[in-house]
Amino acid sequence: LFQAETADTFEAGARLSTPSRDFMLSANIFTTKSRNSYFFVFLAANSTQNLGNVPEVDISGFELEARWRPARGLEFNLGYGYTNSSIESFPDTSVLGNEAPLISRYTLNFGAQYRAPISGELGILARVDYRRTGRTWWDVYNTTSRDPIDLVNARLGLEGSNWTVTAFADNLFNEIYNAEFSPGGFVFKARPRRYGAELSFRF
């Protein structure tokens, strides 16, 4: 039997922008008391999938985000988030003070977008997004973790008055990493590079 998972969170933040809104900066801090959060355990000895829970975890951190439009049609965004987690209650007291499973220490995001007319009602849209995810522990004992990963997504498209055709690539540089791992042998590989085209109409 598992107790209900609950989280009590307090958050405070502020936002600053220029009158033209060409530059915007926001920041916030947060603290969370998480109770009975779940984590996944695979036992290879009997090939069973199991859920465990952590009675109490303290989570705190901050987030910063900036957006800048230096010229018409050109936009940059930058974001950074840091999270500190600490296991405060657990049946095995040796894990007290360890980081909670599946909570990354930090994330860093950077994006650039350019939109401009070509002729008449035809325009071009280009966007690149970069994301770095910090070290992530897989288990309460903090014995296995995933190193930081870097992902890049890109899009290039043409826009008409009521239609858009876009070529895209997710995980552009084909970063190989685990989306999920459990001590005992269970591994779920993350999606490799994916690319394609999209066509949309607006009515």
Side-chain angles (χ1 to χ4, degrees):
L1 297 178
F2 292 90
Q3 299 298 318
E5 182 178 1
T6 62
D8 298 317
T9 299
F10 174 81
E11 183 174 347
R15 176 175 293 181
L16 173 70
S17 65
T18 59
S20 63
R21 293 189 176 274
D22 288 334
F23 179 79
M24 183 179 296
L25 178 66
S26 63
N28 66 74
I29 58 175
F30 62 89
T31 179
T32 298
K33 176 76 72 174
S34 174
R35 296 179 177 87
N36 302 312
S37 58
Y38 299 113
F39 63 96
F40 177 70
V41 179
F42 175 75
L43 299 180
N46 53 11
S47 297
T48 58
Q49 301 178 16
N50 305 269
L51 281 176
N53 73 319
V54 184
E56 187 174 311
V57 178
D58 284 345
I59 304 169
S60 59
F62 64 88
E63 296 175 341
L64 300 172
E65 184 178 359
R67 188 180 67 192
W68 181 39
R69 295 173 178 167
R72 185 176 181 179
L74 181 62
E75 180 177 317
F76 298 98
N77 64 273
L78 178 67
Y80 179 81
Y82 175 81
T83 303
N84 178 66
S85 64
S86 176
I87 297 174
E88 298 298 311
S89 177
F90 197 77
D92 184 349
T93 58
S94 68
V95 308
L96 299 184
N98 286 358
E99 295 183 46
L102 305 179
I103 297 180
S104 303
R105 289 181 179 175
Y106 67 88
T107 57
L108 173 65
N109 301 280
F110 174 76
Q113 177 175 291
Y114 181 66
R115 173 182 271 122
I118 298 177
S119 62
E121 297 180 343
L122 189 64
I124 188 173
L125 172 65
R127 181 171 183 88
V128 175
D129 288 287
Y130 163 78
R131 178 181 178 89
R132 180 177 177 86
T133 303
R135 190 178 190 184
T136 306
W137 292 103
W138 297 119
D139 64 299
V140 295
Y141 293 97
N142 287 181
T143 56
T144 54
S145 66
R146 182 182 65 197
D147 291 336
I149 56 173
D150 300 281
L151 300 175
V152 176
N153 298 332
R155 303 179 69 87
L156 179 63
L158 288 175
E159 298 179 317
S161 58
N162 64 343
W163 58 269
T164 303
V165 59
T166 306
F168 68 89
D170 294 335
N171 191 4
L172 179 62
F173 298 106
N174 202 31
E175 180 84 3
I176 305 299
Y177 64 100
N178 292 331
E180 188 176 346
F181 174 81
S182 174
F186 178 87
V187 176
F188 188 82
K189 295 290 186 180
R191 177 179 288 177
R193 178 171 49 227
R194 186 171 66 100
Y195 54 88
E198 298 173 342
L199 177 62
S200 62
F201 291 91
R202 295 178 293 277
F203 299 96

